[in-house]
Amino acid sequence: MAIALSKPDSEDGTGSPFAVRLDRVSKSFGRPGKQQLVLDDISLDVAPGEFVTLLGASGCGKSTLLNLTAGLDAASAGAISVPGGRPALMFQDHALFPWLTAGRNIELALRLRGVPKAERREEADRLLTLVRLSGAHDKRVHELSGGMRQRVALARALAQDSQLLLMDEPFAALDAITRDVLHEELTRIWNETGVSVLFVTHNVREAVRLAQRVILLTSRPGRIAHEWRVDIEQPRRIEDAEVSALSVEITERLREEIRRHGQQ
Ligand SMILES: Nc1ncnc2c1ncn2[C@@H]1O[C@H](COP(=O)(O)OP(=O)(O)OP(=O)(O)O)[C@@H](O)[C@H]1O
Ligand SMILES: [Mg+2]
């Protein structure tokens, strides 16, 4: 069972016009009577093959929104629909199993997907090559740099062969150069696989560097404040003039939101 790497025509094989749909989603935490509204009336579609970044101040509910989309928690109101099945997840922390090698971490995801044992090694190697880590199959997690670990985590997420990839600040702990390289890799892999991506960050330039669409959330509660289409040709660089110009505009708007909500 090989992973489909060809870009889908216009849809993802489900016949659905969206890879994920959030319809008037709200989320509160806390006990009844002492509830904190974290997300308020969020409606959002990500189209098949689309790359969307969600941007907002710390604590505005970005991770909560991703967790709801992943099915790790339930919305308090509204509906979330992911027609392609279970999304793949990637976090800031690689969350690899340290007692397994890079290759075995990926093979485990393949096993959970039901890939027969005889095919797993080859498939794991193919995914490691895709993230430019061929030869790292037998390396243990502690032998890998932070950037390499995130590559393995990306390969493991891709091993789920999901049509939707949810990423929660996956490069936030990396140095700027390594992050640059991984931005390039992610853009290339997104192009090659046709996967839909919902990527959370609080880094405005990263959001603009990667996305076709940037969505800004307000804070307390998180609501959609504004969205921008990013029509800058890929591959982009974080220091490109057009990326900078749009980042300045979005940062202004983000600052306004933070001021309005009385945060630092
Ligand atoms: N399981 C939970 N129980 C109670 N409160 C929670 C829970 N998860 C999140 N919260 C609260 O919801 C709010 C939003 O948290 P969330 O982690 O989604 O923010 P975020 O935008 O991802 O922030 P950051 O940029 O710092 O990662 C915070 O006030 C947080 O304390
Ligand atoms: Mg978060």
Side-chain angles (χ1 to χ4, degrees), residues 57-64 66-67 92 168-169 200-202:
S58 183
C60 75
K62 303 181 295 295
S63 295
T64 302
L66 229 57
N67 290 342
Q92 179 174 348
D168 194 353
E169 309 209 36
V200 159
T201 179
H202 55 244

Side-chain angles (χ1 to χ4, degrees), residues 44-105:
L44 162 68
D45 276 12
V46 177
E50 193 181 20
F51 198 129
V52 174
T53 49
L54 263 184
L55 191 62
S58 183
C60 75
K62 303 181 295 295
S63 295
T64 302
L65 193 150
L66 229 57
N67 290 342
L68 296 179
T69 308
L72 298 176
D73 200 354
S76 307
I80 298 175
S81 165
V82 185
R86 227 156 112 85
L89 266 173
M90 186 177 164
F91 302 104
Q92 179 174 348
D93 173 359
H94 57 77
L96 297 168
F97 293 119
W99 59 88
L100 296 178
T101 61
R104 290 276 182 203
N105 266 284

